[in-house]
Amino acid sequence: MEWHKVKNIIILMLALVNGFLLVLVTERQNEARRYERAAQTQAVQALANSGIAVDEGGLVAADHLDPVSIERDVEQEGRMVSALLDEKVAGDNWGGGLYRYQGITGEVSVRAGGEFSAKLYDHPRWQAPDPAAHAVGLLRQIEIEGERIAFEQEGDTSCVTVRQRWGGVPLFSSQLTFLYRDGMLQSIDGVLLIPGRVSRERRAILTLPTALLHFLDGVLETGDVCSAILSMEVGYRAIQSLSSAVRLSPVWFISSNTANYYLDAVTGELTRSHPH
């Protein structure tokens, strides 16, 4: 038999094998999705049997998030503070993980773990005709992603609360309050996680059905009373370790009709969220 005919037969056989494998993989994926949907429906039904209603359309998986460990980088911290103050400043080590920076536009204190405080001087740098937009824009200038979650105004005083985002999702434990008076930024206080040396940890993340059952178990164990899960949002929660590193744990932020909770996406631990 001529070689080109043999070659065509081999190509055809390989195409048939690849087609078979593709059908097999697709069927297994479809089967896994069917199993996942069935498990989710059963978990929702278990909650309903306990008097807790859930809108399946509002459920969000967390399997795209990995735990993250962030080691403090004082040099990077100094660069970001300098960018914030719009001038080159050096940090003074006050001990206990506290660094202080001072320039002609203001002074900033940063503590290990992310505690952040800035007292700003009367300077054109801090003029803000639109405080609500200014706060988020100021973080963007120092390459921090944030989202405004609250805005209050009384007379000539405005207060803007911004929550940090990490990797495109909320960092629930990092919020900053920007205080403005007469269109001038006066101070910034709260928690800001400044990027340092980042390492990712591969861990198994709970599936949605398992997360719902952990929520049910946690609520029943604490004796809390709720009749509906209003929303589930995925993000990170910072946990301070014994070292200088901060660990970001993937969590669901669950709002019920009576209380808000964090559900750890790795351990399944349920804790109440307390207002900041």
Side-chain angles (χ1 to χ4, degrees):
M1 185 180 293
E2 296 180 8
W3 165 242
H4 75 276
K5 292 182 178 180
V6 175
K7 183 176 67 174
N8 290 339
I9 292 173
I10 293 174
I11 292 173
L12 178 60
M13 291 176 64
L14 289 175
L16 290 172
V17 170
N18 287 336
F20 173 76
L21 292 176
L22 178 60
V23 170
L24 184 62
V25 170
T26 301
E27 180 57 32
R28 287 186 176 178
Q29 289 176 340
N30 291 336
E31 183 179 354
R33 282 193 288 267
R34 287 194 295 268
Y35 175 79
E36 181 76 14
R37 285 195 294 268
Q40 182 171 304
T41 299
Q42 292 172 0
V44 169
Q45 186 59 51
L47 284 162
N49 292 341
S50 297
I52 303 175
V54 182
D55 177 10
E56 288 194 64
L59 301 180
V60 182
D63 53 5
H64 59 293
L65 301 181
D66 290 321
V68 176
S69 181
I70 303 171
E71 191 75 30
R72 187 178 188 182
D73 185 338
V74 176
E75 290 185 4
Q76 171 68 5
E77 180 178 289
R79 287 191 291 269
M80 295 194 69
V81 172
S82 294
L84 174 67
L85 297 178
D86 198 28
E87 56 179 313
K88 179 67 175 178
V89 291
D92 294 326
N93 188 350
W94 284 47
L98 174 63
Y99 277 75
R100 296 193 66 183
Y101 305 81
Q102 188 165 11
I104 61 173
T105 61
E107 56 188 75
V108 174
S109 298
V110 184
R111 192 179 294 276
E115 185 178 333
F116 185 95
S117 178
K119 179 183 177 182
L120 306 170
Y121 305 151
D122 188 11
H123 189 277
R125 166 73 173 166
W126 311 118
Q127 290 179 349
D130 183 1
H134 180 265
V136 174
L138 195 60
L139 289 182
R140 191 181 303 117
Q141 289 178 24
I142 61 173
E143 300 182 350
I144 295 290
E145 185 183 1
E147 57 184 345
R148 178 167 53 89
I149 60 174
F151 175 73
E152 299 177 2
Q153 185 167 3
E154 184 175 345
D156 61 359
T157 301
S158 301
C159 185
V160 183
T161 303
V162 176
R163 181 170 64 191
Q164 188 175 356
R165 295 176 65 85
W166 187 276
V169 299
L171 181 49
F172 297 114
S173 50
S174 293
Q175 295 185 11
L176 292 170
T177 299
F178 293 72
L179 179 65
Y180 297 84
R181 187 169 291 111
D182 289 327
M184 186 77 72
L185 181 59
Q186 304 289 304
S187 64
I188 309 171
D189 289 286
V191 176
L192 176 67
L193 188 60
I194 297 176
R197 293 178 287 273
V198 177
S199 59
R200 295 188 176 275
E201 176 185 350
R202 295 297 299 176
R203 295 287 298 275
I205 301 298
L206 299 179
T207 63
L208 264 174
T210 304
L212 291 171
L213 294 178
H214 274 288
F215 174 78
L216 177 58
D217 288 343
V219 168
L220 294 177
E221 184 177 336
T222 59
D224 287 355
V225 177
C226 70
S227 60
I229 291 179
L230 304 179
S231 65
M232 287 182 70
E233 186 177 14
V234 295
Y236 282 109
R237 190 181 183 195
I239 300 173
Q240 182 69 51
S241 66
L242 295 177
S243 66
S244 61
V246 174
R247 184 175 184 273
L248 299 187
S249 183
V251 296
W252 280 279
F253 180 72
I254 302 177
S255 295
S256 78
N257 62 314
T258 56
N260 297 327
Y261 302 88
Y262 291 113
L263 179 67
D264 193 291
V266 174
T267 67
E269 180 183 5
L270 185 71
T271 56
R272 271 203 180 218
S273 166
H274 299 288
H276 292 271

